[in-house]
Amino acid sequence: MSEVPAGTNGAKQVLGADDVRRAITRMAHEIIERNRGLDGVVLLGVQRGGVWLAEALAASIGDIDREAHVPWGSLDVSLYRDDIGLRPVSPGAVSEIPFDLGGATVVIVDDVLYTGRTVRAAFDAIGDYGRPEMMQLAVMVDRGHRQLPIRPDFVGRNLPTSTDEVVVVTETGVAIS
Amino acid sequence: MKHLLAIDELDVADIHRLLELTDHMVEVNQRPNPKVPALRGRTVCNLFFEVSTRTRLSFETATRRLSGDVMTFTVSESSVNKGESLRDTVETVAAMGVDAFVIRHRSSGAPWQACRWTTAAVINAGDGWHAHPTQALLDAYTVRTELGRTGGFDGLRLAIVGDVKHSRVARSVGQIFAALGADVVLVAPATLLPVVAEHATSDRLDDIIGDVDVLYLLRMQRERMSEALVPNLHEYTERFGLTAERAARLSDGALVMHPGPMNRGVEITVDPAELPGSVIGHQVANGVAVRMAVLFDLLGSGGVA
């Protein structure tokens, strides 16, 4: 989900930089715990907001388990959305997936989970690169209002919102406006 | 953006947006299964009133890689031979339900006329001597990637050599490179230069060949001789052809481009495969990706119902 920059009119800070850092560390522990040995685990950040989080999670996993090597990449889902033609398109950077997804455990990483439609598009996009053994979902913020039967495996913070609010997630914090 | 008719109807932001979108399409084309569902359920009709196998195949491939449906209508198999007008053709096909027309026509302005007869998006695939915007976009994309010029072409020196006057490619290519900041010079015998040129001109290739970053050769059409605009092809090659001697004078890293099909032995006498700066093959490959970007931008961006 692309949102307006933080700090704009009447933004309410919900999490600070320390909270975000702690949430990343906790999610990294959960990913390790769920996937014993981390065999075949790769992180895929959804363009644009999920990319920095995928990189941060990979670094955090490396800090916790020095033996582990968890590769991370980025995924652009704009050609797979179900609202093509209904709203302006603004693709992020080109997908960079420097590893094979066939047989992998792919952890899809995004900043905000909202309707679930971006995640659905990610399923289709990933399928075009190979057939993963499993897909999991990690998000910094779950703000509710799902329109599809999709549930995250790893959550930084559950944040009840109304649909007219905007949620902004960065390394320095989470804000609602 | 509703239609793509000519480069001079785009602003620089549109051009950059289409070139950036092309990066995504190149990535799709590099996959083992180069296909995405982006234009599922959309129909693109190619209306070719002038034969062009390359451009038609490029648009068909682009549409299919976006999962769109293709209808193709070429003049040899059409009722245009029976006297059906452009308007009747467009209105008839539009009634079948299409989302975009790709139009190639020998008359300048035909795609603009078509816009009045359909609510579908219209893409100009070459009209008369006038415009060929997707060729210009693919050429700009090729230079952008080959020379790493993602920010624009400030200071880049481009020479377009050949029958500039009768060339829609020259017009559109000159416009896009100039819009992106390049210095464009048109090189041709005086009889083949436009009366009012949009760019600098020269009739001496030898004076400038050592200074250009991109040498863009146009196809020299044989019928120009019968019109007495060129004395003979041999003399044309002597003065304007890319010969081995001239190729040796190109600066290091200079690119050689050609929109195809080439008249070997006329505008180029060296084998392009042996020219280090030749990117002619890349132009063709990039053509599919650029046309995917144009189709996706027109049909997928919310501008068209």
Side-chain angles (χ1 to χ4, degrees), chain A residues 26-43:
Chain A
R26 178 175 49 76
M27 290 162 78
H29 276 287
E30 288 172 0
I31 290 169
I32 294 168
E33 196 172 278
R34 171 81 75 87
N35 301 287
R36 297 250 168 239
L38 293 169
D39 265 355
V41 172
V42 301
L43 305 180

Side-chain angles (χ1 to χ4, degrees), chain A residues 5 12 15 24 39 46 49 58-59 66 84-85 90 93-94 99 116 121 124 128 133-134 137 139 155 177:
Chain A
K12 189 177 84 191
L15 297 181
I24 289 171
D39 265 355
V46 178
R66 304 225 170 256
I84 286 171
S90 57
V94 175
F99 39 79
D124 282 355
D128 275 358
E133 177 70 25
M134 187 186 290
L137 177 60
V139 296
V155 184
S177 55

Side-chain angles (χ1 to χ4, degrees), chain A residues 4-15 165-168 174-177:
Chain A
V4 297
T8 48
N9 44 356
K12 189 177 84 191
Q13 191 82 7
V14 188
L15 297 181
E165 286 173 318
V166 174
V167 179
V168 180
V174 174
I176 297 186
S177 55

